Amino acid sequence: MHGTTPKTALKKNVRRSAITSGRKLFLKTEGLDMRTSYALRFRDILRIHTDELGPTASEAELAIVRRAATLIVQLEQMEAKFAVEDASPTALETYQRLANSMRRLLESVGLKRRPRDVTPNLHEYLASKSKPRREALTIDHEDDD
């Protein structure tokens, strides 16, 4: 998560904030219920992306992922609202800006487009070839002479 600063970067005797040490997700948590759908989803997204970065992630990369996680949760909430009622042009513009910002943040920490392999494996290919072909329907007329 965000508080996974490499131990070599910080001395043991130095006092660290709750966010840096990973004890909290937010600075001010008074009145914040970490069981809300927002907080749970934020924590999940943050964990997924920080795990992808690995243990050598810099503090700057972790900060970027944290901002991206915030935007992802906001975008998902907007999408839920759009599913219930039509989006106004202003809401769509805001959504587009947030989506573009999120993409740029994720690109800066290594988001890559990966082509999907659509080539069938050998088993799938052979199975598709062994299916009986539809034979042309022929009617055999016999002469009744």
Side-chain angles (χ1 to χ4, degrees), residues 122-131:
L122 181 60
H123 180 44
E124 292 168 342
Y125 177 76
L126 292 174
S128 72
K129 292 297 180 186
S130 68
K131 290 181 184 174

Side-chain angles (χ1 to χ4, degrees), residues 89-137:
T90 304
L92 285 174
E93 182 182 357
T94 301
Y95 178 85
Q96 179 185 8
R97 287 180 184 200
L98 291 174
N100 285 331
S101 295
M102 180 206 63
R103 177 191 49 80
R104 286 190 304 274
L105 288 170
L106 292 174
E107 280 179 347
S108 68
V109 290
L111 172 73
K112 296 179 185 92
R113 293 186 66 153
R114 292 175 188 88
R116 191 179 76 182
D117 184 13
V118 294
T119 309
N121 63 32
L122 181 60
H123 180 44
E124 292 168 342
Y125 177 76
L126 292 174
S128 72
K129 292 297 180 186
S130 68
K131 290 181 184 174
R133 292 185 185 167
R134 214 174 196 190
E135 297 296 327
L137 204 58

Side-chain angles (χ1 to χ4, degrees), residues 25-26 36-46 49 65-81 95 98 102 106:
L25 281 177
F26 305 103
T36 64
S37 59
Y38 183 97
L40 292 173
R41 183 65 177 144
F42 177 84
R43 184 177 26 219
D44 290 346
I45 292 170
L46 188 60
H49 288 291
V65 166
R66 187 178 178 85
R67 305 296 94 69
T70 300
L71 295 178
I72 290 169
V73 175
Q74 289 298 322
L75 287 163
E76 289 175 348
Q77 288 183 338
M78 292 178 80
E79 290 162 358
K81 287 180 184 176
Y95 178 85
L98 291 174
M102 180 206 63
L106 292 174

Side-chain angles (χ1 to χ4, degrees), residues 1-5 19-20 22 25 46 50 59 62-63 66-67:
M1 280 212 309
H2 184 61
T4 57
T5 302
I19 292 176
T20 303
L25 281 177
L46 188 60
T50 54
E59 197 62 34
L62 295 172
R66 187 178 178 85
R67 305 296 94 69

